[in-house]
């Protein structure tokens, strides 16, 4: 049995950087080739053994629920045709995972979104995937790599990567001391610091493993950067009280919340697609 079974997907955000594409469609449904971002995320969670999927959604996000459900009309239409192969992956996901949803009614930050998911998680450790960070793991999926670190140290783990100094203001940034190759004990973390306030250029990307005490910590966390309840601030409290690890993952991340990252991801997957199908 995998130790962590649940993975939470905060997916209530508006995706304003992709307007007007995201006006009536969730940003998580934007496709990289023929697969929506959210499906890449769910496949990553599955690879880490997390098949109990929780999503924090909001208004206008129903396409997410429909995507992870059977479409009888479509099944009927393509049954027995050569097009069935296009549904093979999503059928497998629907067969192997369970999906639960709750809605965040107000946008009060990532910490608040994760707290909204408490009802889906309960009192067990869980993974968190921000689907607009699309990760391609080196061998093992990034969340699966993190689950290994969790299994060893049993504390919250955040994924990090080095970013240029002029980009630190877009991320949560950590300071820490290296415990083993690529694993840091966090001594400080700051949400979206100005370059001169940044404790390093090690930026948190959208992958977390959180211990369930995080919910009480978030409840006690006042609004931080941009007046929002930040998961980075709650993790900083956990780091002081207990221990939080930052893990420099092996693989590549595409910031699909930005047009540049989105296009880069498409190019990456298209190269791969050409090698396999072309
Ligand atoms: C969130 C977090 C930030 C993290 C980032 C990773 O920010 O608050 O700490 O570095 O995700 O993608 P957002 O991108 O939602 O503004």
């Amino acid at each position: 049995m995998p130790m962590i079974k649940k993975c939470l997907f905060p997916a209530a955000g508006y995706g304003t950087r992709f307007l007007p594409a995201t006006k009536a469609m969730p940003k998580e449904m934007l496709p990289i080739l023929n697969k929506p971002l959210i499906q890449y995320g769910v496949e990553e969670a599955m690879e880490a053994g997390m098949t109990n999927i929780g999503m924090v959604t909001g208004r206008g996000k129903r396409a997410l629920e429909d995507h992870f459900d059977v479409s009888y009309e479509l099944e009927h239409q393509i049954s027995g045709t050569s097009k069935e192969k296009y549904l093979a992956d999503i059928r497998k996901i629907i067969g192997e995972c369970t999906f639960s949803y709750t809605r965040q009614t107000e946008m009060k930050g990532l910490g608040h979104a994760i707290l909204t998911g408490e009802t889906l998680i309960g009192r067990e450790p869980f993974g968190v995937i921000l689907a607009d960070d699309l990760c391609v793991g080196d061998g093992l999926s990034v969340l699966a790599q993190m689950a290994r670190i969790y299994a060893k140290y049993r504390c919250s783990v955040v994924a990090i990567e080095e970013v240029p100094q002029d980009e630190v203001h877009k991320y949560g940034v950590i300071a820490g001391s290296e415990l083993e190759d690529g694993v840091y004990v966090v001594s400080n973390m700051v949400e979206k610091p100005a370059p001169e306030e940044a404790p390093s250029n090690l930026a948190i990307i959208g992958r977390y493993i959180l211990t369930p005490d995080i919910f009480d910590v978030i409840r006690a966390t006042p609004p931080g950067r941009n007046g929002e309840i930040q998961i980075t601030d709650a993790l900083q409290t956990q780091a002081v009280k207990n221990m939080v690890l930052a893990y420099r993952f092996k693989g590549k991340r595409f910031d699909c919340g930005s047009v540049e990252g989105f296009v880069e991801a498409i190019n990456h997957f298209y190269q791969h697609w050409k090698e396999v199908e072309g």
Side-chain angles (χ1 to χ4, degrees):
M1 270 300 269
M3 208 166 0
I4 302 181
K5 299 187 295 286
K6 294 187 177 176
C7 189
L8 190 68
F9 288 75
Y14 296 129
T16 44
R17 278 186 291 175
F18 271 92
L19 283 169
T22 49
K23 185 163 174 268
M25 181 185 77
K27 63 173 173 169
E28 295 79 10
M29 290 302 292
L30 288 168
I32 300 296
L33 307 192
N34 57 350
K35 198 194 291 184
L37 283 170
I38 191 78
Q39 189 176 329
Y40 287 92
V42 169
E43 287 173 357
E44 183 181 336
M46 281 174 83
E47 247 192 271
M50 301 177 201
T51 53
N52 190 327
I53 306 295
M55 291 195 190
V56 179
T57 66
R59 289 178 292 278
K61 297 279 186 168
R62 276 200 199 149
L64 293 173
E65 293 179 46
D66 290 338
H67 186 71
F68 294 105
D69 195 359
V70 174
S71 165
Y72 283 104
E73 283 162 28
L74 189 59
E75 292 286 342
H76 177 74
Q77 190 73 26
I78 69 167
S79 163
T81 75
S82 61
K83 292 188 178 152
E84 276 200 286
K85 64 172 188 272
Y86 296 119
L87 287 183
D89 289 354
I90 187 73
R91 278 179 180 161
K92 183 169 184 284
I93 293 172
I94 293 168
E96 291 180 15
C97 296
T98 61
F99 293 88
S100 314
Y101 303 87
T102 191
R103 281 191 181 201
Q104 188 185 12
T105 52
E106 290 173 284
M107 298 302 115
K108 290 197 205 160
L110 181 57
H112 180 259
I114 290 173
L115 182 57
T116 304
E118 182 181 22
T119 185
L120 305 176
I121 299 295
R123 305 302 294 176
E124 51 188 292
F126 60 103
V128 175
I129 289 185
L130 306 184
D132 50 13
D133 271 342
L134 175 48
C135 291
V136 181
D138 209 348
L140 216 52
S141 83
V142 173
L143 201 61
Q145 293 173 31
M146 294 169 74
R148 285 193 174 175
I149 306 292
Y150 173 80
K152 193 162 167 192
Y153 296 101
R154 308 289 176 118
C155 65
S156 292
V157 183
V158 301
I160 50 165
E161 75 176 356
E162 250 180 79
V163 298
Q165 201 62 38
D166 61 352
E167 286 188 20
V168 289
H169 68 278
K170 297 187 198 165
Y171 299 96
V173 178
I174 71 119
S177 53
E178 204 162 8
L179 179 65
E180 61 173 274
D181 186 31
V183 179
Y184 299 77
V185 178
V186 171
S187 55
N188 189 15
M189 52 199 336
V190 188
E191 179 66 9
K192 302 198 172 80
E196 64 278 9
E197 294 168 342
S200 76
N201 66 340
L202 295 173
I204 302 169
I205 63 130
R207 297 291 179 279
Y208 304 80
I209 285 182
L210 301 175
T211 53
D213 55 304
I214 197 73
F215 295 123
D216 289 335
V217 178
I218 299 172
R219 254 188 288 278
T221 301
R225 184 72 68 196
N226 301 329
E228 296 177 337
I229 296 169
Q230 300 293 350
I231 190 64
T232 305
D233 296 341
L235 281 163
Q236 165 66 9
T237 306
Q238 255 193 348
V240 171
K241 273 199 202 158
N242 199 332
M243 178 163 87
V244 171
L245 295 176
Y247 169 63
R248 195 200 291 247
F249 66 94
K250 295 186 175 64
K252 198 164 167 41
R253 173 194 69 119
F254 299 98
D255 171 16
C256 293
S258 76
V259 172
E260 296 81 357
F262 186 75
V263 172
E264 233 186 278
I266 289 181
N267 286 332
H268 173 92
F269 282 90
Y270 182 57
Q271 283 310 322
H272 182 72
W273 182 86
K274 272 202 297 196
E275 282 157 28
V276 177
E277 313 261 339

